[in-house]
Amino acid sequence: WVGSKMGIDLAHKHAKNRNRTSPKSEDPYLLLLVKLYRFLSRRTNSSFNGTVLKRLCMSKTNRPPLSLSKLSRFMKGKDGKVAVLVGSVTNDERLLDVPKLTVCALRFTETARARITAAGGECLTFDKLALSRPTGSGTVLLRGRRNAREAVRHFGK
């Protein structure tokens, strides 16, 4: 490509944007969250809300769970911050003592929620997080490993 003028990108002339703009799920709670974070990403000058919105629209395999042990490891030394996970928080019996954590997630397993609250921590929902921290300040955005699924072990065999 030589010259100072921009050329027409013929190779990508009909390329479609294939990113999701809304979730495929019909879960009314999720659809309301998408509405809320679409508003927040438009009205606040914060990339946090855009990232959360993008992850809310993802498929279930792209919203992998995170165990309590990984969560506590990621939050070590981050006192006073809220761990934000667009996905599930699951219990890990190998973790003996759970530290005091403030966690916001789409869902918690019963045992994970019980252990977090027993340690003096707090389990938040995304609507409560939007009220307390609308720009995502003082939060740590986390996600689980996508390739930790059992099905991935069989790929390429």
mmCIF file of all heavy atoms in Angstrom, residues 112-129:
data_model
loop_
_atom_site.group_PDB
_atom_site.id
_atom_site.type_symbol
_atom_site.label_atom_id
_atom_site.label_comp_id
_atom_site.label_asym_id
_atom_site.label_seq_id
_atom_site.Cartn_x
_atom_site.Cartn_y
_atom_site.Cartn_z
ATOM 1 N N ALA A 112 -21.022 -22.148 48.581
ATOM 2 C CA ALA A 112 -20.102 -21.014 48.389
ATOM 3 C C ALA A 112 -20.659 -19.771 49.071
ATOM 4 O O ALA A 112 -19.932 -19.055 49.781
ATOM 5 C CB ALA A 112 -19.875 -20.755 46.912
ATOM 6 N N ARG A 113 -21.961 -19.522 48.895
ATOM 7 C CA ARG A 113 -22.603 -18.358 49.525
ATOM 8 C C ARG A 113 -22.529 -18.468 51.056
ATOM 9 O O ARG A 113 -22.209 -17.501 51.749
ATOM 10 C CB ARG A 113 -24.056 -18.254 49.080
ATOM 11 C CG ARG A 113 -24.742 -16.983 49.561
ATOM 12 C CD ARG A 113 -26.221 -16.993 49.220
ATOM 13 N NE ARG A 113 -26.500 -16.969 47.801
ATOM 14 C CZ ARG A 113 -26.595 -15.838 47.086
ATOM 15 N NH1 ARG A 113 -26.415 -14.676 47.672
ATOM 16 N NH2 ARG A 113 -26.871 -15.889 45.805
ATOM 17 N N ALA A 114 -22.784 -19.682 51.572
ATOM 18 C CA ALA A 114 -22.755 -19.901 53.014
ATOM 19 C C ALA A 114 -21.356 -19.665 53.579
ATOM 20 O O ALA A 114 -21.207 -19.050 54.641
ATOM 21 C CB ALA A 114 -23.227 -21.315 53.332
ATOM 22 N N ARG A 115 -20.332 -20.137 52.880
ATOM 23 C CA ARG A 115 -18.959 -19.986 53.370
ATOM 24 C C ARG A 115 -18.478 -18.541 53.312
ATOM 25 O O ARG A 115 -17.749 -18.086 54.191
ATOM 26 C CB ARG A 115 -18.009 -20.886 52.577
ATOM 27 C CG ARG A 115 -18.186 -22.354 52.923
ATOM 28 C CD ARG A 115 -17.149 -23.205 52.257
ATOM 29 N NE ARG A 115 -15.856 -23.073 52.913
ATOM 30 C CZ ARG A 115 -14.738 -23.632 52.451
ATOM 31 N NH1 ARG A 115 -14.768 -24.359 51.362
ATOM 32 N NH2 ARG A 115 -13.596 -23.470 53.087
ATOM 33 N N ILE A 116 -18.890 -17.794 52.270
ATOM 34 C CA ILE A 116 -18.498 -16.385 52.159
ATOM 35 C C ILE A 116 -19.143 -15.570 53.274
ATOM 36 O O ILE A 116 -18.480 -14.765 53.942
ATOM 37 C CB ILE A 116 -18.868 -15.809 50.769
ATOM 38 C CG1 ILE A 116 -17.987 -16.429 49.675
ATOM 39 C CG2 ILE A 116 -18.720 -14.288 50.744
ATOM 40 C CD1 ILE A 116 -18.442 -16.149 48.257
ATOM 41 N N THR A 117 -20.442 -15.791 53.503
ATOM 42 C CA THR A 117 -21.145 -15.035 54.552
ATOM 43 C C THR A 117 -20.687 -15.447 55.953
ATOM 44 O O THR A 117 -20.634 -14.610 56.842
ATOM 45 C CB THR A 117 -22.672 -15.185 54.421
ATOM 46 O OG1 THR A 117 -22.995 -16.566 54.325
ATOM 47 C CG2 THR A 117 -23.201 -14.458 53.210
ATOM 48 N N ALA A 118 -20.327 -16.720 56.129
ATOM 49 C CA ALA A 118 -19.839 -17.189 57.429
ATOM 50 C C ALA A 118 -18.491 -16.556 57.773
ATOM 51 O O ALA A 118 -18.173 -16.345 58.950
ATOM 52 C CB ALA A 118 -19.720 -18.708 57.436
ATOM 53 N N ALA A 119 -17.712 -16.226 56.747
ATOM 54 C CA ALA A 119 -16.399 -15.603 56.967
ATOM 55 C C ALA A 119 -16.513 -14.094 57.170
ATOM 56 O O ALA A 119 -15.494 -13.406 57.306
ATOM 57 C CB ALA A 119 -15.487 -15.906 55.791
ATOM 58 N N GLY A 120 -17.754 -13.587 57.166
ATOM 59 C CA GLY A 120 -17.955 -12.144 57.350
ATOM 60 C C GLY A 120 -17.946 -11.375 56.046
ATOM 61 O O GLY A 120 -17.920 -10.145 56.036
ATOM 62 N N GLY A 121 -17.981 -12.103 54.939
ATOM 63 C CA GLY A 121 -17.989 -11.467 53.622
ATOM 64 C C GLY A 121 -19.395 -11.145 53.160
ATOM 65 O O GLY A 121 -20.367 -11.295 53.910
ATOM 66 N N GLU A 122 -19.486 -10.706 51.911
ATOM 67 C CA GLU A 122 -20.774 -10.287 51.364
ATOM 68 C C GLU A 122 -20.911 -10.796 49.941
ATOM 69 O O GLU A 122 -19.952 -10.765 49.165
ATOM 70 C CB GLU A 122 -20.841 -8.760 51.391
ATOM 71 C CG GLU A 122 -22.224 -8.196 51.267
ATOM 72 C CD GLU A 122 -22.225 -6.678 51.316
ATOM 73 O OE1 GLU A 122 -21.155 -6.067 51.500
ATOM 74 O OE2 GLU A 122 -23.324 -6.117 51.137
ATOM 75 N N CYS A 123 -22.108 -11.282 49.595
ATOM 76 C CA CYS A 123 -22.420 -11.722 48.232
ATOM 77 C C CYS A 123 -23.365 -10.703 47.615
ATOM 78 O O CYS A 123 -24.482 -10.526 48.095
ATOM 79 C CB CYS A 123 -23.073 -13.099 48.241
ATOM 80 S SG CYS A 123 -22.019 -14.387 48.919
ATOM 81 N N LEU A 124 -22.906 -10.041 46.565
ATOM 82 C CA LEU A 124 -23.699 -8.995 45.911
ATOM 83 C C LEU A 124 -24.265 -9.479 44.590
ATOM 84 O O LEU A 124 -23.723 -10.388 43.956
ATOM 85 C CB LEU A 124 -22.831 -7.767 45.630
ATOM 86 C CG LEU A 124 -22.233 -7.009 46.807
ATOM 87 C CD1 LEU A 124 -21.287 -5.948 46.287
ATOM 88 C CD2 LEU A 124 -23.313 -6.386 47.645
ATOM 89 N N THR A 125 -25.354 -8.849 44.167
ATOM 90 C CA THR A 125 -25.875 -9.050 42.818
ATOM 91 C C THR A 125 -25.444 -7.849 41.985
ATOM 92 O O THR A 125 -25.004 -6.832 42.519
ATOM 93 C CB THR A 125 -27.407 -9.157 42.837
ATOM 94 O OG1 THR A 125 -27.930 -8.021 43.507
ATOM 95 C CG2 THR A 125 -27.866 -10.426 43.527
ATOM 96 N N PHE A 126 -25.587 -7.961 40.668
ATOM 97 C CA PHE A 126 -25.118 -6.895 39.785
ATOM 98 C C PHE A 126 -25.948 -5.616 39.911
ATOM 99 O O PHE A 126 -25.423 -4.526 39.713
ATOM 100 C CB PHE A 126 -25.088 -7.373 38.329
ATOM 101 C CG PHE A 126 -23.824 -8.098 37.993
ATOM 102 C CD1 PHE A 126 -23.769 -9.477 38.056
ATOM 103 C CD2 PHE A 126 -22.688 -7.409 37.651
ATOM 104 C CE1 PHE A 126 -22.595 -10.148 37.769
ATOM 105 C CE2 PHE A 126 -21.505 -8.063 37.362
ATOM 106 C CZ PHE A 126 -21.458 -9.438 37.419
ATOM 107 N N ASP A 127 -27.231 -5.736 40.270
ATOM 108 C CA ASP A 127 -28.030 -4.519 40.436
ATOM 109 C C ASP A 127 -27.596 -3.755 41.688
ATOM 110 O O ASP A 127 -27.561 -2.521 41.689
ATOM 111 C CB ASP A 127 -29.533 -4.841 40.458
ATOM 112 C CG ASP A 127 -29.893 -5.976 41.392
ATOM 113 O OD1 ASP A 127 -29.046 -6.853 41.606
ATOM 114 O OD2 ASP A 127 -31.028 -5.982 41.909
ATOM 115 N N LYS A 128 -27.208 -4.480 42.753
ATOM 116 C CA LYS A 128 -26.690 -3.826 43.958
ATOM 117 C C LYS A 128 -25.327 -3.194 43.690
ATOM 118 O O LYS A 128 -25.014 -2.128 44.213
ATOM 119 C CB LYS A 128 -26.585 -4.823 45.107
ATOM 120 C CG LYS A 128 -27.914 -5.192 45.711
ATOM 121 C CD LYS A 128 -27.738 -6.150 46.859
ATOM 122 C CE LYS A 128 -29.082 -6.611 47.392
ATOM 123 N NZ LYS A 128 -28.931 -7.751 48.301
ATOM 124 N N LEU A 129 -24.522 -3.866 42.866
ATOM 125 C CA LEU A 129 -23.214 -3.319 42.501
ATOM 126 C C LEU A 129 -23.377 -2.029 41.698
ATOM 127 O O LEU A 129 -22.640 -1.069 41.908
ATOM 128 C CB LEU A 129 -22.417 -4.340 41.675
ATOM 129 C CG LEU A 129 -21.023 -3.881 41.244
ATOM 130 C CD1 LEU A 129 -20.052 -3.974 42.415
ATOM 131 C CD2 LEU A 129 -20.521 -4.695 40.083
#
